[in-house]
Amino acid sequence: MSGNGDILRVDGLTMRFGGIIAVNELSFAAERGKITALIGPNGAGKTTVFNCITGFYRPSAGEISLTHPGGESFRLDKLNDFRITKIAKVARTFQNIRLFAGMTALENLMVAQHNKLMLASGLTFLGLIGAPSWRAAEKQAIERATFWLERIGLKDRADDAAGNLPYGDQRRLEIARAMCTDPVLLCLDEPAAGLNARESAALSELLLSIRDDHATSVLLIEHDMSVVMEISDAIVVLDYGVKIAEGTPQQIRDDQRVIAAYLGVEDEEVEAVEQELGL
Amino acid sequence: MAKIAHAAAATAAKPGVDVGFIFKKALISALVALVLFSLMIGVRTEAGPEGQLIYWTRFGDLAGMVGAVFVGSIVVELLRRWWGPVDTPRLMPEGARKTLSVAGRAVAPILLIFTILVPVIFYDQRYILDLGILVLTYVMLGWGLNIVVGLAGLLDLGYVAFYAVGAYSYALLATNFGLSFWICLPLAGILAAFWGVLLGFPVLRLRGDYLAIVTLAFGEIIRLVIINWQSLTGGPNGISGIPRPTLFGIPLVAGENGLAAKLGIAFSPSQRLVFLFYLILALALLTNWATIRLRRLPIGRAWEALREDEVACRALGINTTTTKLTAFATGAMFGGFAGAFFATRQGFISPESFTFQESALVLAIVVLGGMGSQLGVALAALTLIGGFELFRGLDQFRMLVFGLSMVLLMVWRPRGLIGHRAPTVFLERNQAISSDLVKEGHG
């Protein structure tokens, strides 16, 4: 592997819900400055892994550690949900879009800069008296939001309610909102779901630019293989909560177990695969 | 039924006046009225002197009623098209609509100027001044609760608890330690905010109905504690002899030291009322100013974001715990201010003033006004409290008429008087957001 090092390491991650093991002894790493995709058939446990990484679930066992470019390390399995974004700088989007529908696109991006603005407003007190330092910080935040609106081509809809935007625009706005929290790792849960071919291409371009221009590593769950194969630097394949393959897009494309997981296999092959997996 | 719906859909599709549809609808209403009223009004029966049934017909009255329903139906349908939802075709001419929209924007300033002038216009009318003070107290309470319910979307049914904490804080501090109103006012606010945080902690994980029940219980707990802690609060007897507020130490009384004597004018009892009026006006405007200010600060945006989607808030690194607690505390603080004012106005407080009915009334003001809208809450307080007084002449029908008008208002405007949301920041266009998109919060 290149000298960048890993930004995210998942070690022996297990997540149980009652008797169901959604994720079993999963270990993988995501390299800094790369786009890592997490793929697998429906119900493979991809979103559960995401929820563990972003603190929405507390893992039953295992370690998740994140290393900042400065060398600072965070144990994500020990941090509270909002602190993962606030301190460890991991941002996420959701499979079913979760924008603030009744707020404008611009307001959505302002809310994302909450922690920075909260400090700038002197925990509200400086803001209440309208201190110049607060005004400057607010102006800066609006500029930053405008930059991202321009970047996703929604500047002329900045003052429209987020819930009124077309589906594809909402997807991009959610990514822009996540980017406004200044993340080092951006976790996207099916960003291309429901997009048409043209929108998917625009999304690929956006994600590549996030990786290259904004020094943000990307972890991606996606079913749209054209997007995955085009932009991913590395792919991890999950099936029934177990990692069945890991590698570059080319390696994954040719992997027999991956093909079997997606397309099914002949009966006699099942035993062979199971033996190989130690099931 | 299906036919009517179909006809309605057809009219909605093509803009302009559909005389036929309106006429048909009115005719159907009149027919229903005829069937209903022919027995209720058309024929009058009574027991005769020997117990036999005597009856006589009143076809004139019946015709009058049916005619009224017919005309009323046409009027209602026309009104609905003028002021109805966005997608219904507009019958009102463009010019008139523009005038209305200009008038709409002028409502708030005109209302404010009128309120400031009330003591000047009605200087000698004690009743009007008292009513004005009452309305303003509820405007302030409504604005305070609006922070919790309207902005943060946390359904609070026990808001009166903070009103009570504020009132008792001032009453106890003033009667026991002789502290002045102006020192007690911030203390009452701080104490109420403290209780707001105390309520906030146990309900952090609760949502919707569950949150409502716990806050309801909290309001009752505070009231019951006040009733039963006789040694401190005087129990059901309340606290009397609460000092009146002073204008920076100058009391508003007759005699040497009073404000009137110092200014060299004749004393009048109205002076104290006018002073109280401007005091509560100032307090209410402070609440309004703070809310408008807070909405544009990160904390206010976080409150609204919390109402929209709590999970997304956490994914953006917002500490939802402190955000909820600050909403409770800020709302409670203004409730505490209002409580302190209430105590100093009445001069006497007892637990009877802090029943659940007060919480319900304030919540009704917020919901009726349009959750989150400052102007809406003010208008709703005026309508509700003023409405109570307006219908006083109707005696026993007062509550009936009042309740009916509430129901009609909510049918007419389900999202409150002012149903849309104004954005807190904009790039180019400051356009209101339709209420369909704005969430009500789920606790």
Side-chain angles (χ1 to χ4, degrees):
Chain A
M1 299 225 164
S2 71
N4 277 343
D6 296 333
I7 183 157
L8 179 79
R9 295 197 65 85
V10 176
D11 270 317
L13 177 70
T14 302
M15 186 72 211
R16 279 185 223 100
F17 298 103
I20 297 164
I21 300 176
V23 178
N24 193 9
E25 295 279 330
L26 175 71
S27 301
F28 71 92
E31 219 179 324
R32 185 182 315 285
K34 295 282 157 79
I35 296 179
T36 308
L38 201 56
I39 66 170
N42 287 327
K46 306 181 295 290
T47 299
T48 307
V49 173
F50 254 46
N51 283 341
C52 289
I53 292 171
T54 52
F56 280 81
Y57 296 153
R58 179 140 306 185
S60 311
E63 273 182 28
I64 305 169
S65 56
L66 181 97
T67 313
H68 275 196
E72 220 179 335
S73 194
F74 299 91
R75 280 286 296 278
L76 299 188
D77 51 311
K78 299 247 164 89
L79 277 178
N80 259 351
D81 49 4
F82 78 89
R83 288 199 181 82
I84 286 182
T85 309
K86 188 178 175 180
I87 301 165
K89 297 278 172 206
V90 178
R92 75 169 290 180
T93 66
F94 295 88
Q95 200 169 350
N96 44 345
I97 303 170
R98 297 197 88 123
L99 285 169
F100 305 121
M103 302 174 91
T104 66
L106 179 64
E107 281 180 302
N108 268 277
L109 301 191
M110 295 294 281
V111 172
Q113 304 177 55
H114 176 81
N115 288 319
K116 209 166 54 179
L117 286 175
M118 209 56 193
L119 283 179
S121 71
L123 300 175
T124 306
F125 296 107
L126 281 178
L128 262 184
I129 58 167
S133 64
W134 154 247
R135 282 177 203 279
E138 190 188 28
K139 195 160 159 271
Q140 215 180 353
I142 294 176
E143 271 164 20
R144 184 174 168 77
T146 314
F147 165 81
W148 275 105
L149 285 169
E150 229 161 32
R151 184 69 197 71
I152 59 173
L154 283 180
K155 197 184 166 209
D156 51 335
R157 303 211 62 176
D159 302 320
D160 286 340
N164 262 347
L165 297 175
Y167 188 80
D169 290 351
Q170 291 196 17
R171 281 259 177 237
R172 289 206 305 282
L173 183 61
E174 209 191 9
I175 294 173
R177 188 179 69 176
M179 285 306 293
C180 277
T181 64
D182 279 328
V184 296
L185 177 69
L186 178 65
C187 300
L188 303 170
D189 198 345
E190 297 199 26
L195 300 188
N196 61 34
R198 197 170 50 82
E199 287 170 327
S200 291
L203 176 81
S204 301
E205 188 265 327
L206 175 66
L207 294 186
L208 288 173
S209 125
I210 284 173
R211 180 191 69 182
D212 298 334
D213 308 338
H214 298 281
T216 302
S217 315
V218 178
L219 187 65
L220 175 79
I221 291 179
E222 190 48 70
H223 279 301
D224 185 335
M225 283 305 145
S226 64
V227 172
V228 171
M229 292 301 165
E230 187 188 331
I231 64 171
S232 304
D233 300 303
I235 298 177
V236 176
V237 189
L238 281 187
D239 195 17
Y240 295 110
V242 180
K243 182 172 81 180
I244 57 172
E246 188 174 17
T248 63
Q250 193 53 51
Q251 288 166 342
I252 295 299
R253 210 191 297 257
D254 301 333
D255 192 297
Q256 285 307 312
R257 281 172 301 185
V258 177
I259 295 168
Y262 269 91
L263 300 178
V265 288
E266 305 286 331
D267 278 345
E268 54 264 33
E269 285 179 42
V270 171
E271 278 171 35
V273 173
E274 277 182 348
Q275 233 159 22
E276 200 173 339
L277 285 172
L279 289 174
Chain B
M1 208 46 202
K3 217 173 207 172
I4 296 173
H6 184 73
T11 31
K14 61 173 177 204
V17 192
D18 189 344
V19 181
F21 170 72
I22 296 174
F23 193 71
K24 203 163 86 188
K25 198 174 166 191
L27 214 59
I28 294 171
S29 307
L31 197 73
V32 173
L34 179 68
V35 172
L36 274 177
F37 291 145
S38 59
L39 287 177
M40 284 159 65
I41 292 170
V43 184
R44 166 96 178 162
T45 57
E46 225 165 73
E50 278 112 44
Q52 85 279 35
L53 188 73
I54 45 173
Y55 68 93
W56 61 95
T57 52
R58 296 187 297 186
F59 290 131
D61 292 353
L62 177 63
M65 275 314 257
V66 173
V69 167
F70 183 74
V71 175
S73 169
I74 291 177
V75 170
V76 165
E77 187 62 20
L78 286 176
L79 282 180
R80 202 176 66 79
R81 283 167 190 232
W82 284 350
W83 296 326
V86 192
D87 51 339
T88 48
R90 303 282 168 165
L91 291 178
M92 204 187 289
E94 188 65 25
R97 215 183 317 152
K98 273 206 180 117
T99 322
L100 255 189
S101 108
V102 171
R105 248 172 289 152
V107 164
I110 288 173
L111 213 59
L112 180 61
I113 291 168
F114 177 73
T115 316
I116 291 171
L117 289 179
V118 159
V120 181
I121 303 169
F122 304 104
Y123 182 72
D124 285 328
Q125 284 167 278
R126 212 196 137 99
Y127 171 69
I128 300 273
L129 284 180
D130 263 329
L131 182 61
I133 291 171
L134 191 66
V135 169
L136 282 174
T137 310
Y138 279 99
V139 168
M140 178 166 179
L141 284 171
W143 278 340
L145 184 62
N146 195 23
I147 294 173
V148 185
V149 178
L151 295 186
L154 303 160
L155 186 53
D156 185 352
L157 286 181
Y159 192 59
V160 77
F162 310 122
Y163 191 40
V165 167
Y168 272 86
S169 303
Y170 170 60
L172 291 172
L173 287 170
T175 52
N176 292 334
F177 303 105
L179 294 177
S180 92
F181 177 74
W182 295 103
I183 294 171
C184 291
L185 185 70
L187 286 178
I190 290 168
L191 277 168
F194 168 74
W195 283 96
V197 173
L198 224 57
L199 165 67
F201 266 113
V203 302
L204 278 173
R205 288 162 185 280
L206 302 178
R207 290 159 161 267
D209 310 348
Y210 306 99
L211 176 71
I213 291 167
V214 175
T215 52
L216 174 80
F218 183 76
E220 286 301 290
I221 289 171
I222 293 277
R223 194 173 63 87
L224 289 171
V225 166
I226 289 172
I227 290 178
N228 290 295
W229 196 349
Q230 294 234 4
S231 58
L232 180 73
T233 64
N237 300 327
I239 300 173
S240 55
I242 301 166
R244 301 292 185 168
T246 56
L247 187 67
F248 304 109
I250 310 170
L252 288 104
V253 292
E256 290 272 304
N257 298 322
L259 182 70
K262 293 222 164 144
L263 289 176
I265 52 172
F267 174 77
S268 147
S270 282
Q271 283 162 2
R272 206 190 67 217
L273 273 184
V274 170
F275 174 67
L276 284 173
F277 185 93
Y278 282 124
L279 177 59
I280 186 65
L281 180 62
L283 285 174
L285 288 179
L286 173 78
T287 313
N288 186 33
W289 174 84
T291 310
I292 290 174
R293 228 26 212 274
L294 284 171
R295 266 196 76 202
R296 294 185 185 147
L297 289 172
I299 186 72
R301 275 194 211 111
W303 287 339
E304 289 201 79
L306 195 67
R307 176 192 67 202
E308 296 285 323
D309 194 329
E310 192 179 335
V311 172
C313 275
R314 281 185 296 170
L316 294 175
I318 296 175
N319 185 344
T320 49
T321 307
T322 52
T323 306
K324 277 184 188 180
L325 288 181
T326 49
F328 270 119
T330 315
M333 183 178 73
F334 290 118
F337 287 157
F341 172 81
F342 177 76
T344 192
R345 180 184 90 119
Q346 300 285 96
F348 164 77
I349 50 169
S350 77
E352 267 171 52
S353 309
F354 308 106
T355 54
F356 169 66
Q357 203 192 337
E358 296 294 309
S359 292
L361 186 57
V362 179
L363 186 67
I365 287 172
V366 174
V367 173
L368 194 68
M371 299 211 284
S373 163
Q374 295 295 98
L375 176 62
V377 167
L379 287 174
L382 191 63
T383 320
L384 272 172
I385 309 300
F388 268 133
E389 294 303 313
L390 201 66
F391 297 134
R392 198 173 274 282
L394 296 169
D395 295 328
Q396 75 266 40
F397 298 114
R398 183 174 161 210
M399 287 316 274
L400 184 71
V401 172
F402 182 72
L404 194 67
S405 49
M406 288 296 97
V407 171
L408 283 180
L409 204 59
M410 279 336 270
V411 169
W412 218 283
R413 301 204 73 101
R415 295 300 295 251
L417 292 170
I418 311 266
H420 52 74
R421 173 182 176 272
T424 59
V425 59
F426 60 91
L427 272 191
E428 276 137 21
R429 289 158 295 145
N430 188 4
Q431 54 186 6
I433 295 166
S434 154
S435 58
D436 308 336
L437 296 167
V438 181
K439 306 243 183 357
E440 287 138 0
H442 30 65

